[in-house]
C-alpha cells in the first residue's frame, strides 16, 4: 500500500498541468482500489460549491461544469462533516443528488473523503462501485491516507488561484499570505534562489534551443567539475568503492544518458531549467514506483544530481538578471540577511513562501517601513519571475499581473498612504500625550546602526532596546572589548541626556553567530540568551566592561538581561555585573556611575515571581514577541502554525495586564519592546494597562504618537476592559479595528487614509 500511495502522490506533485494531474490521480486511484469510478472535486469558496474537475468513470463533458453546493448531495455531506462517508446504496440516501450530465446512474456504492489542509476543506475525492456494497476498512483507510498526503499539494493549487473563476475573468491572480509588515507596494518581482530545488521550478518554453543548450552544457561541465573535486577530496578517507557514486553521477550527465533526454526537451522548446525538471521528475517517478528498496533509494541520487545541475543553471541566470525597478523580493525563506542584502537596491516589498509575521526578517522590514507578506505557501518560485504585482501588507494579499482598474485603485490608495505619512510627521517633536493628559514615553528599538541623527530618531526620547547581538552577527569572530567600547560609545552619545537600554548578548534560537554554532533539536527552548552568557562569563564580562567604559562620561546606560526564567539567573548576572564594575572602577581614576539593571519578561515563569524579582532589579521590560511564543507554544517561524501566533490572544492580553498591575503595586518601572507596541491597537491597550514606556522601530514612532494624541485615556480604559472579556483573538482584532475606525484612525490598520 505504501508504495502505491507514494507513487500516486509523487505523480500528482510532479505533473505540470493541473487538469492532467487530477485526471491521472483519478485513474490511478481507480486502478489501485479496483473500483468502477474515481472522481475529484475542488472547493470554490467564492461560489460556495464543489466543482467536478476530473473523473475516471463519469462523463468527460461534465468536467469543470458540474458543481455541487456545499450543502448539497453526498459530496457536500462529506465536506460538511469533514470526515469519510461510506454508503452501500447511494441512490437511496436522502442526500443523494441526481445530476444527469455526469451519467452516474449505474453506480451504487459510494465512498468519499475530504482533502483538508490547515482545517480548510480543499476538495473531495470519491470512489464508486456498480455493485451495492460497503467499502471495507482497508479501502477506506487507503483513501483517507491518500487524501491526507495530497493536502499540501492541493493547498498549492489553491494558492495558485486555479479555483477562482472571478480571478480568471479579471485576468489577474490573487494570492493570500500572512500580513506581516503593513503598507502598499506596486512593483516587479525579483526571485532569490537560496537553494537549488527542482520543486521550485515552474516549467516554461522559450524557443531558444541554441542558447538554452549552451547554458545547459556549461552547467553540466561545472557540475562534473564539482563532482571530481568532491571525489578527490574524499580520496583516502573512505573505501574506493564508495567513491563510485561520483562516477555514476558523471556518467548520468553524459549525452548517452540523462543529458541526451534533456537536450531533446530543450530542442522541443523548453528552457534549460524546465527540460531538466521534466526529465529528472520522470526518472524519480519510475524509481520510486519500484518495490525494491535499494532501487527506490536511487531516486534520491537522481534528485540530488538534478538539483546540483539546477544550481549552476540558476547561477548563470542570476548573473544575467538585472534587479528590476520597484523590486519586490520573493524567496523560499526571506531571512534578515537576505533583506539586508537587497534593501539598498530599490526594494519596495518582500514576499516569503515560508515564515511567519514575527520572524526577524519581518521585524527588520517593519523597521525599514517595507511591506511584507509571509507564509504564502508552496508555489514554485519561478512562477513569480518577470511579473508585476500589487502587495497589500495590511491584508496579506498579492495581486499578480493586475489589470489597469486594480492598478488605478491601488495607486490611489498608495497616494493616500503617502499623505497619511506626511500628516503624522507633524507630531514628531510633540510629546506622546492623550487628549485628556495621560502621557507615555516612546523609545527606539535599535541595533542596525550605531549612530543616530535627528531624522533617524523620529521623535524618540531614548533607546528602549539596543540589540547588541546584531553587530556580533556581522563579524566572523567575537569582538574585542575595545571594539565593543567603540560601538557602545557611539550609541550612548547619540542620546546623551536620554536613557539607552542595552540588552546583553541575546543569541540562540533563530539568531546564530557564524563563529559560535549551536545545534539543538529545539533551539527556542534551548541554550539561548542569558543561559549562554552565564555559561560563558568571559563573553559576558567583556561585554559589560565595554558598556561601563563607554558610559564613563555619559551616565545614560541601562543594562537589560534577556531570557530570564528565574531568580538564580538574575543573582548570577548581577554578581558578574558587580565584578565588572569593580574591575573597571579600579582601572580609571574617577568614579563611574552604576547603571540601572533590568530584566526582560519573556519566559512565562517570571510572571509568577514578579514581586520577588522587583526587589532585585530596577525595571522590567516585556518582550512580547517571545512571551507570546512561549505562552501559546507556537514557533513564530513555523508557517504551519503561524496563524496561531497572535499577541492579541486573550491569554496574552491578560498576562500583559497582570504584569502591569503587579508592576504598579511593586512601584517598578515597566516598558514593552515587542512588535505589539508598534501597532495602533496594541499601543492603545498597553497605554490603558499602565505601561510607562513603549519601545519600537523608528518608522512607527510618529504613527503611534499620532494615535495616542488623538484618543482619550478614559476611552482607552473602556476599550481595554471590553477586550479583556473577549474569548478569541479574532474578536479582539475586529473590535479594536472597529473602535479605531470610529475614532477616525482606520487608516493605520488598513490601506488608505
Amino acid at each position: 500500500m505504501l508504495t502505491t500511495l507514494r507513487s500516486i502522490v509523487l505523480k500528482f506533485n510532479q505533473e505540470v498541468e493541473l487538469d492532467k494531474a487530477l485526471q491521472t490521480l483519478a485513474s490511478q486511484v481507480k486502478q489501485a482500489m479496483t473500483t468502477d469510478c474515481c472522481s475529484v472535486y475542488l472547493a470554490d469558496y467564492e461560489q460556495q460549491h464543489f466543482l467536478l474537475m476530473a473523473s475516471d468513470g463519469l462523463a468527460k463533458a461534465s468536467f469543470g461544469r458540474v458543481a455541487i453546493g456545499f450543502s448539497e448531495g453526498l459530496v457536500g455531506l462529506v465536506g460538511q462533516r469533514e470526515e469519510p462517508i461510506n454508503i452501500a446504496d447511494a441512490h437511496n440516501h436522502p442526500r443523494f443528488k441526481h445530476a444527469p450530465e455526469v451519467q452516474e446512474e449505474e453506480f451504487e456504492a459510494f465512498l468519499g473523503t475530504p482533502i483538508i489542509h490547515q482545517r480548510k476543506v480543499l476538495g473531495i475525492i470519491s470512489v464508486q462501485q456498480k455493485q451495492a456494497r460497503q467499502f471495507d476498512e482497508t479501502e477506506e483507510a487507503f483513501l483517507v491516507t491518500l487524501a491526507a498526503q495530497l493536502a499540501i499539494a492541493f493547498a498549492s493549487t489553491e494558492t495558485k488561484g486555479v479555483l477562482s473563476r472571478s480571478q480568471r475573468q479579471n485576468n489577474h491572480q490573487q494570492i493570500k499570505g500572512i500580513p506581516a509588515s503593513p503598507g502598499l507596494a506596486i512593483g516587479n518581482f525579483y526571485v532569490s534562489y537560496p537553494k537549488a530545488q527542482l520543486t521550485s521550478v515552474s516549467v516554461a518554453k522559450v524557443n531558444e534551443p541554441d542558447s538554452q543548450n549552451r547554458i545547459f552544457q556549461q552547467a553540466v561541465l561545472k557540475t562534473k567539475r564539482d563532482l571530481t573535486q568532491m571525489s578527490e577530496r574524499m580520496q583516502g578517507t573512505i573505501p574506493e568503492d564508495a567513491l563510485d557514486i561520483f562516477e555514476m553521477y558523471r556518467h548520468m550527465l553524459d549525452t548517452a544518458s540523462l543529458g541526451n533526454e534533456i537536450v531533446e526537451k530543450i530542442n522541443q522548446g523548453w528552457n534549460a531549467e524546465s527540460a531538466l525538471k521534466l526529465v529528472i521528475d520522470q526518472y524519480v517517478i519510475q524509481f520510486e514506483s519500484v518495490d525494491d528498496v535499494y532501487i527506490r533509494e536511487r531516486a534520491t541520487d537522481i534528485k540530488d544530481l538534478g538539483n546540483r545541475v539546477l544550481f549552476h543553471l540558476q547561477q548563470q541566470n542570476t548573473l544575467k538578471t538585472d534587479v528590476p525597478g520597484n523590486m519586490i523580493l520573493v524567496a523560499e525563506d526571506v531571512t534578515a540577511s537576505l533583506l539586508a542584502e537587497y534593501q539598498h537596491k530599490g526594494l519596495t516589498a518582500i514576499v516569503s513562501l515560508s515564515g511567519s509575521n514575527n520572524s526577524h526578517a519581518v521585524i527588520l522590514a517593519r523597521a525599514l517601513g517595507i511591506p511584507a507578506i509571509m507564509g504564502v505557501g508552496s508555489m514554485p518560485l519561478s512562477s513569480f519571475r518577470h511579473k508585476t504585482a500589487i502587495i497589500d501588507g495590511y491584508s496579506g494579499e498579492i495581486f499578480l499581473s493586475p489589470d489597469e482598474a486594480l492598478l488605478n485603485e491601488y495607486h490611489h490608495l498608495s497616494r493616500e498612504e503617502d499623505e497619511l505619512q506626511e500628516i503624522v510627521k507633524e507630531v514628531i517633536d510633540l510629546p506622546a500625550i492623550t487628549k485628556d493628559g495621560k502621557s507615555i514615553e516612546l523609545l527606539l528599538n535599535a541595533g542596525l546602526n550605531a549612530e543616530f541623527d535627528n531624522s533617524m530618531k523620529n521623535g524618540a526620547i531614548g533607546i528602549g532596546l539596543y540589540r547588541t547581538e546584531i553587530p556580533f552577527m556581522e563579524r566572523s569572530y567575537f569582538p574585542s572589548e575595545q571594539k565593543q567600547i567603540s560601538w557602545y560609545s557611539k550609541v550612548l552619545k547619540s542620546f546623551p541626556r536620554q536613557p539607552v537600554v542595552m540588552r546583553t548578548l541575546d543569541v540562540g534560537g533563530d539568531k546564530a553567530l557564524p563563529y559560535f554554532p549551536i545545534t539543538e533539536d529545539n533551539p527556542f527552548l534551548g541554550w539561548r540568551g542569558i543561559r549562554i552568557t552565564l555559561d560563558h562569563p568571559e563573553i559576558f564580562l567583556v561585554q559589560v566592561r565595554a558598556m561601563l567604559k563607554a558610559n564613563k562620561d555619559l551616565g545614560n546606560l541601562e543594562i537589560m538581561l534577556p531570557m530570564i526564567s528565574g531568580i538564580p539567573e538574575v543573582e548570577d548576572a548581577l554578581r558578574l555585573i558587580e565584578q565588572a564594575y569593580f574591575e573597571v572602577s579600579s582601572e580609571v581614576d574617577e568614579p563611574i556611575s552604576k547603571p540601572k539593571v533590568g530584566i526582560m519578561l519573556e519566559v512565562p515563569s517570571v510572571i509568577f515571581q514578579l514581586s520577588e524579582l522587583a526587589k532585585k532589579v530596577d525595571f522590567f521590560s516585556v518582550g512580547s514577541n517571545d512571551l507570546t511564543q512561549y505562552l501559546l507554544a507556537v514557533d513564530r517561524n513555523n508557517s504551519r502554525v503561524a496563524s496561531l501566533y497572535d499577541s492579541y490572544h486573550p491569554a496574552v492580553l491578560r498576562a500583559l495586564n497582570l504584569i502591569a498591575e503587579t508592576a504598579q503595586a511593586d512601584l517598578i518601572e515597566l516598558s514593552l519592546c515587542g512588535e505589539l507596541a508598534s501597532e495602533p491597537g496594541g499601543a492603545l491597550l498597553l497605554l490603558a494597562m499602565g505601561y510607562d514606556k513603549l519601545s519600537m522601530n523608528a518608522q512607527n514612532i510618529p504613527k503611534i504618537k499620532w494615535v495616542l494624541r488623538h484618543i482619550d485615556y478614559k476611552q482607552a480604559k473602556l476599550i481595554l476592559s471590553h477586550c479583556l472579556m473577549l474569548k478569541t483573538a479574532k474578536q479582539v482584532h475586529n473590535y479594536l479595528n472597529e473602535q479605531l475606525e470610529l475614532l477616525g484612525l482606520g487608516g493605520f490598520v488598513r490601506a488608505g487614509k
Side-chain angles (χ1 to χ4, degrees):
M1 179 190 283
L2 286 175
T3 302
T4 304
L5 280 168
R6 189 185 301 112
S7 175
I8 293 173
V9 174
L10 190 66
K11 185 70 176 176
F12 180 84
N13 282 330
Q14 296 183 335
E15 183 55 63
V16 175
E17 299 174 16
L18 177 67
D19 291 342
K20 188 176 179 181
L22 293 172
Q23 189 56 49
T24 302
L25 171 65
S27 298
Q28 285 189 308
V29 173
K30 174 184 173 181
Q31 180 181 356
M33 296 186 66
T34 321
T35 61
D36 298 320
C37 176
C38 176
S39 306
V40 184
Y41 300 81
L42 296 184
D44 185 335
Y45 281 85
E46 288 186 7
Q47 303 296 323
Q48 290 287 295
H49 63 217
F50 292 104
L51 190 65
L52 176 63
M53 296 295 290
S55 179
D56 189 339
L58 300 183
K60 288 186 178 180
S62 62
F63 299 175
R65 297 176 181 274
V66 170
I68 299 175
F70 281 171
S71 59
E72 296 179 334
L74 296 177
V75 169
L77 183 62
V78 173
Q80 279 184 319
R81 291 178 55 170
E82 299 184 353
E83 64 178 345
I85 301 293
N86 190 347
I87 301 169
D89 185 2
H91 285 213
N92 290 322
H93 193 278
R95 283 290 295 267
F96 179 78
K97 179 182 178 181
H98 180 61
E101 57 267 51
V102 303
Q103 300 175 16
E104 62 176 341
E105 289 81 4
E106 58 183 342
F107 300 123
E108 296 292 341
F110 172 91
L111 170 63
T113 192
I115 300 168
I116 301 175
H117 179 71
Q118 293 187 344
R119 308 182 188 183
K120 185 178 182 181
V121 177
L122 303 180
I124 307 292
I125 184 167
S126 68
V127 291
Q128 293 171 275
Q129 197 90 23
K130 292 178 182 178
Q131 174 192 358
R133 72 177 182 92
Q134 198 88 19
F135 285 92
D136 63 35
E137 290 182 0
T138 302
E139 291 170 312
E140 185 172 320
F142 178 89
L143 200 63
V144 169
T145 306
L146 177 65
Q149 292 191 12
L150 287 169
I152 293 177
F154 268 65
S156 176
T157 66
E158 186 197 41
T159 301
K160 294 173 188 174
V162 297
L163 308 185
S164 175
R165 183 173 298 169
S166 65
Q167 287 166 14
R168 295 193 205 110
Q169 291 171 347
N170 292 336
N171 196 33
H172 67 259
Q173 190 176 344
Q174 183 178 347
I175 304 167
K176 190 79 165 66
I178 301 167
S181 179
L184 303 177
I186 301 171
N188 305 289
F189 274 115
Y190 177 79
V191 180
S192 174
Y193 294 96
K195 293 179 181 178
Q197 292 288 342
L198 284 168
T199 52
S200 71
V201 172
S202 182
V203 295
K205 288 190 173 183
V206 293
N207 291 319
E208 298 175 356
D210 291 341
S211 65
Q212 292 300 308
N213 268 315
R214 192 161 51 249
I215 290 171
F216 172 65
Q217 294 303 334
Q218 290 171 357
V220 168
L221 287 174
K222 290 180 179 179
T223 306
K224 286 184 174 180
R225 183 192 62 202
D226 291 347
L227 295 169
T228 300
Q229 290 173 348
M230 289 179 202
S231 179
E232 290 173 350
R233 280 198 303 268
M234 301 186 77
Q235 287 277 358
T237 61
I238 60 174
E240 284 294 318
D241 58 349
L243 294 171
D244 290 346
I245 181 66
F246 299 108
E247 185 58 38
M248 183 192 77
Y249 276 13
R250 286 193 293 268
H251 174 72
M252 290 169 67
L253 287 173
D254 290 338
T255 53
S257 188
L258 286 174
N260 189 45
E261 294 184 44
I262 295 168
V263 169
E264 285 182 16
K265 292 287 185 185
I266 291 173
N267 290 335
Q268 292 170 12
W270 298 101
N271 67 25
E273 290 182 23
S274 301
L276 177 68
K277 175 183 173 64
L278 292 169
V279 172
I280 294 294
D281 283 357
Q282 190 57 45
Y283 273 92
V284 169
I285 290 171
Q286 291 175 13
F287 278 118
E288 292 200 341
S289 299
V290 176
D291 289 332
D292 185 273
V293 175
Y294 177 80
I295 296 176
R296 195 165 65 234
E297 286 301 318
R298 301 289 65 77
T300 302
D301 296 331
I302 295 284
K303 282 188 281 190
D304 179 47
L305 181 61
N307 288 334
R308 289 181 184 279
V309 177
L310 180 64
F311 172 77
H312 288 296
L313 284 175
Q314 290 179 341
Q315 266 202 329
Q316 295 173 63
N317 289 339
T318 301
L319 291 174
K320 296 177 181 179
T321 302
D322 293 326
V323 174
N326 297 321
M327 177 182 61
I328 301 168
L329 177 66
V330 60
E332 180 70 35
D333 183 15
V334 177
T335 61
S337 59
L338 193 61
L339 180 55
E341 179 183 345
Y342 287 101
Q343 65 165 316
H344 301 301
K345 300 180 181 179
L347 182 63
T348 59
I350 63 171
V351 172
S352 184
L353 303 191
S354 61
S356 76
N357 63 350
N358 271 288
S359 68
H360 281 93
V362 169
I363 292 172
L364 183 55
R366 290 171 184 160
L368 296 169
I370 296 172
I373 297 176
M374 310 295 281
V376 169
S378 54
M379 285 189 72
L381 278 173
S382 52
S383 62
F384 291 93
R385 280 199 303 193
H386 312 305
K387 289 189 177 178
T388 301
I390 296 169
I391 304 297
D392 189 333
Y394 294 98
S395 64
E397 292 174 304
I398 303 166
F399 301 95
L400 287 176
S401 304
D403 56 29
E404 188 175 350
L406 194 61
L407 278 171
N408 288 337
E409 178 185 344
Y410 270 88
H411 276 303
H412 173 72
L413 291 172
S414 185
R415 285 192 295 271
E416 288 193 347
E417 289 269 301
D418 293 339
E419 290 171 11
L420 191 59
Q421 292 300 317
E422 289 301 315
I423 290 172
V424 299
K425 288 179 181 177
E426 297 173 6
V427 302
I428 283 180
D429 296 321
L430 299 176
I433 185 168
T434 64
K435 291 196 295 184
D436 52 353
K438 175 67 174 178
S439 63
I440 190 169
E441 295 181 19
L442 299 187
L443 306 167
L444 193 64
N445 284 347
L448 293 173
N449 299 301
E451 297 179 88
F452 306 86
D453 58 31
N454 284 332
S455 65
M456 297 166 68
K457 295 177 182 178
N458 258 356
I461 62 168
I463 294 181
L465 169 63
Y466 183 76
R467 303 181 181 97
T468 61
E469 65 272 8
I470 292 180
F472 275 72
M473 293 166 70
E474 295 173 344
R475 300 176 64 82
S476 56
Y477 50 85
F478 280 108
S480 66
E481 181 176 320
Q482 195 58 44
K483 187 64 180 176
Q484 292 186 59
I485 293 171
S486 173
W487 292 340
Y488 305 148
S489 294
K490 291 177 182 177
V491 178
L492 293 167
K493 287 175 182 176
S494 294
F495 289 85
R497 290 174 295 279
Q498 296 162 317
V500 173
V501 180
M502 291 189 174
R503 182 173 66 188
T504 59
L505 187 62
D506 185 18
V507 293
D510 59 346
K511 292 180 289 185
L513 298 179
Y515 47 89
F516 191 64
I518 302 169
T519 303
E520 296 178 304
D521 291 336
N522 196 335
F524 287 100
L525 297 181
W527 202 44
R528 56 176 303 205
I530 197 69
R531 298 169 182 177
I532 292 177
T533 50
L534 288 179
D535 284 351
H536 282 276
E538 75 280 11
I539 297 172
F540 187 81
L541 284 167
V542 168
Q543 183 175 37
V544 174
R545 283 169 53 88
M547 290 178 179
L548 293 172
K549 288 182 178 181
N551 186 53
K552 184 169 67 73
D553 298 321
L554 294 162
N556 58 337
L557 168 70
E558 297 182 8
I559 296 175
M560 184 157 66
L561 307 173
M563 197 65 187
I564 294 295
S565 58
I567 291 173
E569 291 166 335
V570 175
E571 292 174 338
D572 290 344
L574 289 174
R575 185 166 56 251
L576 288 173
I577 292 172
E578 191 73 12
Q579 177 182 332
Y581 175 78
F582 280 112
E583 289 173 0
V584 174
S585 296
S586 65
E587 293 177 21
V588 297
D589 297 330
E590 55 192 271
I592 61 171
S593 61
K594 275 190 177 181
K596 289 183 178 180
V597 178
I599 61 171
M600 289 199 76
L601 307 181
E602 47 195 342
V603 180
S605 59
V606 296
I607 297 175
F608 304 99
Q609 289 191 299
L610 290 173
S611 293
E612 295 96 320
L613 289 165
K615 294 180 175 67
K616 295 185 175 293
V617 296
D618 301 301
F619 64 90
F620 292 155
S621 183
V622 176
S624 62
N625 297 347
D626 271 333
L627 182 62
T628 300
Q629 175 173 244
Y630 291 130
L631 275 173
L632 302 182
V634 175
D635 176 358
R636 59 184 176 177
N637 294 315
N638 185 337
S639 58
R640 288 179 179 269
V641 293
S643 61
L644 301 177
Y645 180 98
D646 198 320
S647 294
Y648 295 89
H649 188 290
V652 177
L653 293 182
R654 292 169 192 173
L656 292 172
N657 193 54
L658 175 62
I659 291 169
E661 290 176 343
T662 308
Q664 289 163 22
D666 291 326
L667 301 177
I668 189 167
E669 185 182 284
L670 178 65
S671 66
L672 185 139
C673 57
E675 291 301 307
L676 184 64
S678 64
E679 298 170 7
L684 184 153
L685 295 179
L686 294 168
L687 168 80
M689 289 177 188
Y691 281 75
D692 305 302
K693 303 176 180 181
L694 302 181
S695 189
M696 64 200 71
N697 296 317
Q699 183 78 18
N700 294 308
I701 289 174
K703 174 182 70 176
I704 297 303
K705 192 176 287 188
W706 178 275
V707 169
L708 296 176
R709 288 180 62 86
H710 287 78
I711 62 172
D712 286 314
Y713 176 63
K714 292 178 181 177
Q715 192 169 11
K717 293 285 286 183
L718 291 173
I719 292 172
L720 171 65
S721 64
H722 185 81
C723 285
L724 291 174
M725 293 188 293
L726 297 174
K727 298 177 181 178
T728 68
K730 184 177 181 180
Q731 289 176 345
V732 175
H733 281 290
N734 290 342
Y735 176 71
L736 279 175
N737 290 344
E738 173 189 299
Q739 292 302 307
L740 288 168
E741 288 285 359
L742 292 173
L743 292 167
L745 302 169
F748 293 104
V749 291
R750 54 158 170 75
K753 284 202 294 188

